[in-house]
Amino acid sequence: MELRDIEIFLALAEELHFGRTAERLHITPSRVSHAIKKQERRIGAPLFERTSRTVRLTALGQQLCDDLLPARLQIQQAIDRAVAGARGITGPLRVGYSTPWCADLVLRAAEVLRSRHAGCTVQILEIQFDDPLGPLRRGELDVQVSEFPVREPGITSGPVLLSEPRALMVPAGHALARRSSVSLEDLAAAPLITPRGAFPKSLLDFHLPTHTPSGRPVPRGPVYTFWPETTAMVAAGLGVSVVAVRAAQYHDRPGITFVPFRDGPALDYGVLWPSNGPSAAVTALVDLMCELADEKP
């Protein structure tokens, strides 16, 4: 099967429409149909079920699609790396991070990048929660690793690098501190400390809900600008904070307790860059972070 035919098959598997597939690949619908028929003759069975109104993958077609997608991704990554190598990776590359565990990953990847490309310098900056996307929007950063989800115009979300279970950071004397776990419903039991400033709505709704799943209001506590303020507020009994379980390794101090959630989705941390496209250096750094994040400790 030729690479172009594979591309046509995967595009049709995604679009499930011959016209849209042809438009996407800048070819004619008859070229799409010819390529699919040729593949089906070679395999010996239908890959798609077609009617006058619908196009659907057969079970065999779905299996082929699932098997081909990782290979296509590897090919695209190889091409991207070749393009990056041809263009040359030079600095400075400005990278932001929001948490210490994101910083650890960025620093490891930056060290490898500098060792491979002597002309590249990497500047690493901490993002503040009162303006988490501002530096990226203003062009002060080329890429950042921070909390997902982000659905904002002008910003592209790349791959998820880390996925962490949630915990609730509570005052050591609070009744919730004696629990072995908490529920999202328990957010109604104490004021939730929140960041001040231009925090994106997609992040607020996911990380700092205004209501529990059953509809009970989540009370608001004091606001903070810099993360260290949060641990001080919690220790003083002013409220609670939703964090990653891993935060206990970095932020533990007298007066606070970390209690894991037994429900609710994980907290994802991923890559963000301006929607005008990542540079060769950004592409190389993101590839390295994906590789390092996948390594088992």
Side-chain angles (χ1 to χ4, degrees):
M1 189 181 295
E2 297 178 2
L3 285 176
R4 185 56 167 169
D5 290 339
I6 292 174
E7 184 181 14
I8 291 172
F9 167 75
L10 290 174
L12 183 59
E14 184 175 332
E15 296 288 348
L16 296 178
H17 190 282
F18 281 81
R20 288 196 300 268
T21 300
E23 183 178 354
R24 171 173 159 181
L25 298 179
H26 306 290
I27 58 178
T28 64
S30 62
R31 173 71 176 89
V32 177
S33 180
H34 174 75
I36 297 302
K37 288 178 180 178
K38 183 173 71 172
Q39 294 170 41
E40 290 177 331
R41 285 195 302 269
R42 179 174 181 178
I43 290 170
L47 300 174
F48 293 90
E49 295 176 357
R50 311 166 181 81
T51 70
S52 59
R53 296 186 178 182
T54 63
V55 177
R56 294 187 301 173
L57 280 164
T58 63
L60 182 64
Q62 184 64 61
Q63 176 186 327
L64 180 61
C65 180
D66 293 341
D67 289 342
L68 287 174
L69 281 174
R72 182 178 69 172
L73 178 60
Q74 288 182 336
I75 291 171
Q76 187 59 55
Q77 288 174 339
I79 293 171
D80 291 343
R81 284 192 289 269
V83 170
R87 293 176 180 173
I89 306 275
T90 59
L93 177 61
R94 302 159 302 170
V95 187
Y97 69 89
S98 62
T99 68
W101 43 98
C102 292
D104 290 347
L105 182 58
V106 170
L107 287 164
R108 290 167 59 205
E111 182 178 358
V112 176
L113 187 69
R114 285 190 292 255
S115 70
R116 295 180 181 176
H117 305 278
C120 184
T121 59
V122 183
Q123 302 171 359
I124 301 174
L125 306 170
E126 183 178 5
I127 300 163
Q128 301 304 326
F129 283 92
D130 65 328
D131 191 19
L133 300 179
L136 199 62
R137 289 191 184 283
R138 294 190 294 270
E140 298 167 12
L141 293 174
D142 301 300
V143 63
Q144 73 181 51
V145 181
S146 56
E147 290 78 5
F148 272 19
V150 173
R151 293 181 288 271
E152 294 289 313
I155 293 178
T156 295
S157 295
V160 172
L161 299 174
L162 303 168
S163 189
E164 300 290 324
R166 298 185 188 212
L168 191 63
M169 185 168 64
V170 301
H174 196 279
L176 293 175
R178 297 189 290 273
R179 304 266 194 91
S180 59
S181 66
V182 293
S183 165
L184 291 176
E185 288 297 325
D186 291 319
L187 290 175
L192 188 61
I193 297 172
T194 58
R196 72 172 77 247
F199 210 71
K201 187 176 186 303
S202 57
L203 286 174
L204 277 174
D205 292 344
F206 184 81
H207 292 267
L208 304 167
T210 58
H211 292 80
T212 69
S214 69
R216 300 163 65 199
V218 177
R220 273 352 194 204
V223 297
Y224 66 89
T225 300
F226 304 104
W227 172 254
E229 299 173 52
T230 310
T231 56
M233 291 176 182
V234 173
L238 301 179
V240 300
S241 179
V242 177
V243 297
V245 166
R246 194 189 299 210
Q249 302 173 28
Y250 295 85
H251 301 302
D252 198 13
R253 55 158 288 177
I256 63 176
T257 299
F258 295 84
V259 186
F261 277 91
R262 61 180 176 270
D263 59 4
L267 302 180
D268 289 338
Y269 301 83
V271 185
L272 302 171
W273 59 73
S275 292
N276 57 6
S279 66
V282 168
T283 299
L285 182 71
V286 170
D287 284 347
L288 282 170
M289 289 191 293
C290 288
E291 293 173 14
L292 293 170
D294 287 339
E295 289 181 359
K296 298 200 180 291

